[in-house]
Amino acid sequence: MTGGSGPADPSRDGPADRTRPVGVPAREPAGSPAGQPGSGGAGGSGGAGGSGPPPVYDHAVLKSLLGAWALAASSPAETRAVEEHLSGCAACAEEALRLRDAVGLLHPEDNLDLDPRLRSRVLEGCLERRRPRTPVPEWAAPYDAETARLDALLRDMAADEWRAPVRLRWFEDERQTGADTTVSGVIAHLLAVDGLLAGALGLPDPLGDGPEERSPDGPDERTTALWRSLAPDERPSTVLGAWREQSHSVVRTVSFAPHLGAERELPYRDLRLPLRDAFLERAFECWVHAGDIAEAVDYPHGLPLPEHLHQLVDLSVRLLTESLAGRRRSGLAAPPRRLAAVGAPGRTLRLEVEGSGGGLWHVPLDSPGAASTEGEEVAHIALDCVEFCQLAAGHVPPRDAAAGQEGDPEAIREVLFAAASLSHL
């Protein structure tokens, strides 16, 4: 004997609920068909849709439901009961008001990625107090900022995410193409191509430069060589550490050695870029591939600072003329219609890039040194800043670019395809 009235009769009341607080009605059994006792449906003995009376809650239970009510997490029946109770209980009404105010202080699930402006604001505040002895050159600041943002993204990644598949995309021979790799492979690619900057500054080449075999010069060949040299079980931290140290070294070098000169030319693909433009090009690629990585691991990655983004867009626009000339040499674009002497008026296209980091540029169509005048403008393109960057990165085909277009359709087509042709591995 246990001193009670005996075990409950399951045929009458069902199993005893020892966890239910006093005053809370028993929940309906899961799966009860409509119309059966306890179902709460038509003909049931309770519930919102039943013909019986609504459940009755005592004061203690209603007070315990205030938190769920304030968060809009209570059931309809509980919500009605709480709101009816609040009209007659001043103490609970005051508590409910405090809880609703507290809910307003809660933040929704936000992007965990740090605001890209935070780093600049912190540095700006520090530099206002003490000017740096060796400031980072303005043209190297976007590279410094984008490598730091990518480094922050990589620090938060789990071990298995380093093997996540990443599709690198670019535009080549009138069509989109790409290569499949992993997050670790993307960092190896950046390490290999940034090695061109390191080599030009007299820093060690990540591919090595032994006496018997010289490192490849082309970015594509360098990437392939480094991918092949990595062991299948290579630790991602090894590649990350090498890339991080190299990016820090190149920024330190140009900061401590201003005599190198921003206009010093660097062989890069089929061009010879000034050192300042080479840094901007690497900053652009770092941002684009950080976006590829973020997309692969389902993590957001925002835009660069507006002043940095403007420098990246400006570089892409300035390279359009050379890209268009290269397409003409390859027979992919129509020949120039009318050559003009340097400084003389020539046909131009007005390119309007809207949004943060955008601006207005006039692109010479026939002669790189032609002067841009309103009377010689034959076409106008307007598109969003992010859309233009995605086009220049080869992520958006020229035919799909959401651009406002007016004027000579051939000139518009040639400039859009020249922008896409700026992309590469």
Side-chain angles (χ1 to χ4, degrees):
M1 299 292 292
T2 59
S5 59
D9 183 358
S11 65
R12 183 180 60 187
D13 297 326
D17 186 354
R18 300 183 182 274
T19 62
R20 175 167 51 90
V22 175
V24 179
R27 294 187 179 274
E28 302 163 357
S32 297
Q36 295 300 319
S39 67
S45 59
S51 59
V56 178
Y57 301 89
D58 62 24
H59 181 273
V61 173
L62 289 168
K63 185 175 181 180
S64 70
L65 290 173
L66 290 178
W69 172 84
L71 292 168
S74 55
S75 68
E78 292 170 342
T79 300
R80 285 195 299 272
V82 168
E83 292 176 349
E84 290 176 2
H85 175 69
L86 294 180
S87 63
C89 180
C92 286
E94 184 179 353
E95 178 68 13
L97 182 61
R98 286 198 299 267
L99 290 173
R100 271 287 167 91
D101 290 341
V103 168
L105 299 176
L106 298 177
H107 294 285
E109 185 176 351
D110 290 330
N111 176 7
L112 297 179
D113 200 13
L114 292 176
D115 186 339
R117 295 169 293 183
L118 176 61
R119 181 173 185 270
S120 295
R121 286 200 297 263
V122 172
L123 290 175
E124 183 179 354
C126 295
L127 296 178
E128 286 178 355
R129 293 176 176 267
R130 178 180 295 179
R131 302 304 301 173
R133 294 181 180 178
T134 52
V136 175
E138 181 183 1
W139 42 269
Y143 177 82
D144 185 31
E146 291 311 304
T147 52
R149 289 209 302 145
L150 175 55
D151 192 14
L153 170 65
L154 298 173
R155 286 178 185 271
D156 291 338
M157 289 180 51
D160 59 325
E161 290 178 323
W162 282 92
R163 303 299 177 189
V166 179
R167 177 69 175 175
L168 301 180
R169 295 164 289 169
W170 66 93
F171 188 80
E172 184 178 1
D173 295 335
E174 303 293 276
R175 62 183 179 86
Q176 266 194 317
T177 186
D180 294 316
T181 183
T182 62
V183 172
S184 184
V186 175
I187 302 304
H189 164 58
L190 292 175
L191 172 65
V193 184
D194 286 358
L196 292 172
L197 283 181
L201 297 173
L203 299 172
D205 189 332
L207 271 66
D209 196 2
E212 297 181 359
E213 184 176 356
R214 187 172 179 271
S215 298
D217 293 329
D220 297 357
E221 294 78 10
R222 290 177 61 84
T223 297
T224 303
L226 187 54
W227 280 350
R228 289 175 178 171
S229 68
L230 295 177
D233 57 347
E234 185 81 42
R235 292 174 59 87
S237 59
T238 303
V239 178
L240 174 60
W243 170 78
R244 180 187 293 138
E245 176 57 31
Q246 179 176 261
S247 62
H248 291 173
S249 296
V250 296
V251 173
R252 283 197 302 266
T253 300
V254 296
S255 299
F256 281 92
H259 62 277
L260 291 175
E263 303 304 324
R264 176 183 177 185
E265 289 192 340
L266 172 69
Y268 189 77
R269 300 188 186 276
D270 297 331
L271 307 173
R272 291 189 65 85
L273 290 179
L275 191 60
R276 65 165 64 243
D277 288 349
F279 266 83
L280 292 175
E281 199 280 338
R282 300 312 305 147
F284 184 89
E285 185 163 354
C286 182
W287 167 49
V288 169
H289 288 326
D292 294 332
I293 292 174
E295 181 180 353
V297 299
D298 194 22
Y299 194 90
H301 192 71
L303 297 175
L305 290 170
E307 58 268 29
H308 293 171
L309 185 57
H310 179 79
Q311 292 185 65
L312 305 185
V313 172
D314 179 71
L315 172 66
S316 299
V317 174
R318 287 189 284 112
L319 293 177
L320 283 177
T321 303
E322 183 61 35
S323 177
L324 181 57
R327 288 177 53 82
R328 284 171 172 156
R329 288 192 296 268
S330 301
L332 299 175
R337 293 187 184 177
R338 189 183 74 217
L339 296 176
V342 175
R347 291 194 317 140
T348 59
L349 177 141
R350 179 157 54 102
L351 176 60
E352 185 176 356
V353 181
E354 302 169 337
S356 175
L360 182 65
W361 290 267
H362 287 84
V363 181
L365 295 174
D366 299 320
S367 302
S372 57
T373 61
E374 186 175 349
E376 295 292 335
E377 183 181 301
V378 299
H380 176 208
I381 297 177
L383 72 169
D384 179 72
C385 183
V386 175
E387 186 83 3
F388 176 77
C389 291
Q390 291 294 306
L391 175 65
H395 288 193
V396 174
R399 295 184 179 88
D400 297 342
Q405 306 173 6
E406 182 181 5
D408 187 342
E410 182 182 273
I412 292 171
R413 178 188 182 280
E414 298 296 2
V415 169
L416 291 177
F417 272 77
S421 298
L422 294 172
S423 62
H424 47 73
L425 172 62

